[in-house]
Amino acid sequence: MASLSGLTQQISNRNSVVELPMTHRPRLHNSIKKSCRVGFRVMASENNASTSELDLSVTVNGLKMPNPFVIGSGPPGTNLAVMRKAFDEGWGAVIAKTVSLDAAKVINVTPRYAKLRAGANGSTRGEIIGWENIELISDRPLEIMLSEFKQLKKECPDRILIASIMEEYDKAAWHELIDRVEQTGVDAIEINFSCPHGMPERKMGAAVGQDCALLEEVCGWINEKATVPVWAKMTPNITDITQPARVALRTGCEGVSAINTIMSVMGINLDTLRPEPCVEGYSTPGGYSSKAVHPIALAKVMSIAQMMRSEFGDKDCSLSGIGGVEAGGDAAEFILLGADTVQVCTGVMMHGYGIVKKLCSELKDFMKKHNFSSIDDFKGLSLEYFTTHTDLVKRQQEAIRQRKAIRKGLASDKDWTGDGFVQETESMVSN
């Protein structure tokens, strides 16, 4: 559970709320800000147009995207060639693979992926439903990555490029990294507070995202330096994901991304008795992704969206949903729960960059089916339908009572009347 030491807490009924002063700073991005509406809106306009005329564009923290589909930080954003390919295929934005000041400390191993397939004993012919990685952040020198960011923005000045960054527990290092990254012209920064398996001893990744006191301090360093929008990427490996999300937003971050991968052990090879992925006979727990995590991701995003709606509804905040997106319907679910954008990483690794065309087409099909003309028409619409189990019991008891009353008809023969005889008869006829 997240550590709350050093934070002022307000305990209200069963909910623990971290109270922090809001941090405000000017942003240099020249786009017009929009108000945050992580809530539901029933405003589907009358729409008889074809799917080609539906509007998938979104504006998030002043960043205009042609569609809500974003390349999630990881291998699909690891160098200039693949990021250029993503823009060529039509992705709304690209988040590059996470960088830090010193890439020399990043040493990856191979194999570093493992797959979980549907079917008995993970049959090699079964559909891939789970994916584990033990991959670290970018192992390419920062100078090279920065030069490629700059080149990509030169080639695609109107497309949205977001840098993902992670550093050690060092204010000066964070400030230096932010300054150097912003000089390339990136449109925003996503902070990796969520990598589950890389250098926790250096207070990097999830080691920060799981400790609200540490997160508050590091976010303070970041937000006093950054001049472009900042998104905090949340780890699901925590009891209550709303607590770090709240801290990130209250200390100045413009957005939250959720979820990163779930800590996992993919399995044990029952022939060799060694864990997977197996490196020289050994392994380490890694991050779990793909469609098997989608329901978990939806629950986490729902919780964050409810918190944002109640506590940050009048702020320019944003929410990016991540987890098991391989179809347009998967994305629609995130948006219905309040997400502004939807990130895809493992899906690209399995199906290629061209999957964005399928995602856009299927999302438009969903919109046309429900008579929505834009993303705003259905963003957060399903949030209002979540309640407590106690309330569900009350609702069902009342519904049963009303159904019984309708079916009951007349209680006894004395209730028959001459004027209402036909109607009274019909009230007791089985459909």
Side-chain angles (χ1 to χ4, degrees):
M1 185 174 179
S3 169
L4 296 178
S5 59
L7 298 178
T8 303
Q9 296 185 57
Q10 175 187 338
I11 309 300
S12 175
N13 297 329
R14 296 181 301 274
N15 300 319
S16 176
V17 179
V18 180
E19 288 294 324
L20 297 170
M22 288 294 296
T23 300
H24 301 281
R25 67 177 181 282
R27 291 302 194 201
L28 298 187
H29 199 281
N30 58 9
S31 298
I32 298 175
K33 298 247 183 175
K34 70 176 183 67
S35 60
C36 175
R37 292 175 304 96
V38 184
F40 70 94
R41 175 185 174 195
V42 184
M43 288 184 61
S45 57
E46 189 172 338
N47 175 30
N48 297 314
S50 66
T51 55
S52 63
E53 296 175 304
L54 300 178
D55 184 11
L56 292 184
S57 67
V58 295
T59 300
V60 184
N61 303 129
L63 308 175
K64 177 75 172 180
M65 304 179 192
N67 60 66
F69 295 107
V70 178
I71 291 287
S73 180
T78 198
N79 61 44
L80 178 61
V82 298
M83 291 188 287
R84 183 189 288 129
K85 173 68 173 176
F87 283 145
D88 289 344
E89 291 290 343
W91 288 84
V94 171
I95 303 177
K97 192 172 184 181
T98 303
V99 297
S100 64
L101 290 175
D102 183 12
K105 63 193 174 191
V106 181
I107 303 175
N108 279 301
V109 294
T110 301
R112 54 182 175 268
Y113 306 136
K115 302 173 183 178
L116 180 66
R117 295 180 182 270
N121 299 319
S123 169
T124 57
R125 291 189 295 272
E127 177 188 11
I128 298 172
I129 59 173
W131 184 288
E132 183 194 4
N133 82 87
I134 55 172
E135 184 161 321
L136 302 179
I137 63 175
S138 177
D139 58 10
R140 304 179 70 217
L142 179 62
E143 291 74 15
I144 292 177
M145 291 293 285
L146 295 180
S147 67
E148 293 186 352
F149 293 169
K150 190 172 184 178
Q151 179 63 29
L152 187 59
K153 285 303 299 181
K154 181 179 180 180
E155 295 178 10
C156 309
D158 298 326
R159 304 305 297 275
I160 301 302
L161 174 62
I162 301 173
S164 173
I165 65 175
M166 183 167 71
E167 246 321 312
E168 297 186 26
Y169 181 65
D170 184 321
K171 179 178 180 179
W174 276 106
H175 281 194
E176 179 184 351
L177 181 57
I178 291 168
D179 182 59
R180 295 181 66 182
V181 166
E182 285 194 354
Q183 288 183 36
T184 67
V186 297
D187 300 281
I189 297 173
E190 183 179 79
I191 312 297
N192 188 337
F193 289 133
S194 48
C195 183
H197 51 74
M199 297 175 281
E201 70 281 358
R202 299 176 187 241
K203 295 184 179 179
M204 300 177 75
V208 181
Q210 292 168 331
D211 185 328
C212 286
L214 187 59
L215 180 67
E216 178 193 8
E217 183 177 19
V218 175
C219 279
W221 298 343
I222 293 166
N223 288 312
E224 71 183 23
K225 182 66 176 178
T227 63
V228 297
V230 173
W231 297 357
K233 190 171 184 179
M234 298 285 100
T235 174
N237 303 300
I238 191 169
T239 303
D240 181 1
I241 198 170
T242 66
Q243 292 200 27
R246 179 183 294 109
V247 169
L249 294 172
R250 285 194 179 276
T251 50
C253 294
E254 279 77 13
V256 169
S257 305
I259 60 174
N260 206 325
T261 53
I262 302 169
M263 184 67 81
S264 66
V265 172
M266 181 58 77
I268 305 297
N269 185 309
L270 297 182
D271 293 321
T272 67
L273 310 185
R274 302 300 179 102
E276 301 288 352
C278 191
V279 180
E280 310 303 333
Y282 293 82
S283 192
T284 187
Y288 191 48
S289 60
S290 193
K291 64 177 60 180
V293 311
H294 186 64
I296 300 171
L298 289 176
K300 300 291 187 181
V301 167
M302 181 271 293
S303 295
I304 294 173
Q306 286 182 327
M307 180 274 293
M308 291 175 67
R309 178 179 169 188
S310 65
E311 301 179 30
F312 298 89
D314 60 342
K315 305 295 189 300
D316 182 23
C317 302
S318 64
L319 177 57
S320 189
I322 316 167
V325 174
E326 296 182 32
D330 300 329
E333 289 178 306
F334 276 124
I335 298 169
L336 284 164
L337 291 179
D340 297 273
T341 59
V342 179
Q343 296 186 30
V344 187
C345 182
T346 306
V348 177
M349 296 171 71
M350 294 192 297
H351 305 294
Y353 292 89
I355 191 178
V356 70
K357 295 180 175 62
K358 170 178 175 286
L359 295 174
C360 287
S361 176
E362 291 175 349
L363 185 58
K364 284 184 175 182
D365 288 341
F366 161 80
M367 292 169 64
K368 185 172 178 61
K369 175 182 177 181
H370 293 281
N371 204 31
F372 298 131
S373 61
S374 70
I375 299 298
D376 275 349
D377 282 347
F378 65 99
K379 177 188 161 188
L381 192 147
S382 298
L383 262 185
E384 67 165 327
Y385 300 113
F386 288 91
T387 184
T388 64
H389 191 275
T390 299
D391 185 59
L392 291 179
V393 172
K394 292 180 180 178
R395 287 173 180 271
Q396 188 160 73
Q397 288 175 338
E398 176 61 19
I400 291 172
R401 187 192 66 77
Q402 291 181 12
R403 286 195 292 268
K404 285 182 176 179
I406 293 172
R407 291 197 302 268
K408 184 176 179 181
L410 299 179
S412 68
D413 285 351
K414 68 179 178 61
D415 295 326
W416 288 96
T417 67
D419 292 336
F421 187 80
V422 174
Q423 291 81 4
E424 289 160 359
T425 301
E426 285 297 321
S427 72
M428 293 180 286
V429 175
S430 175
N431 292 328

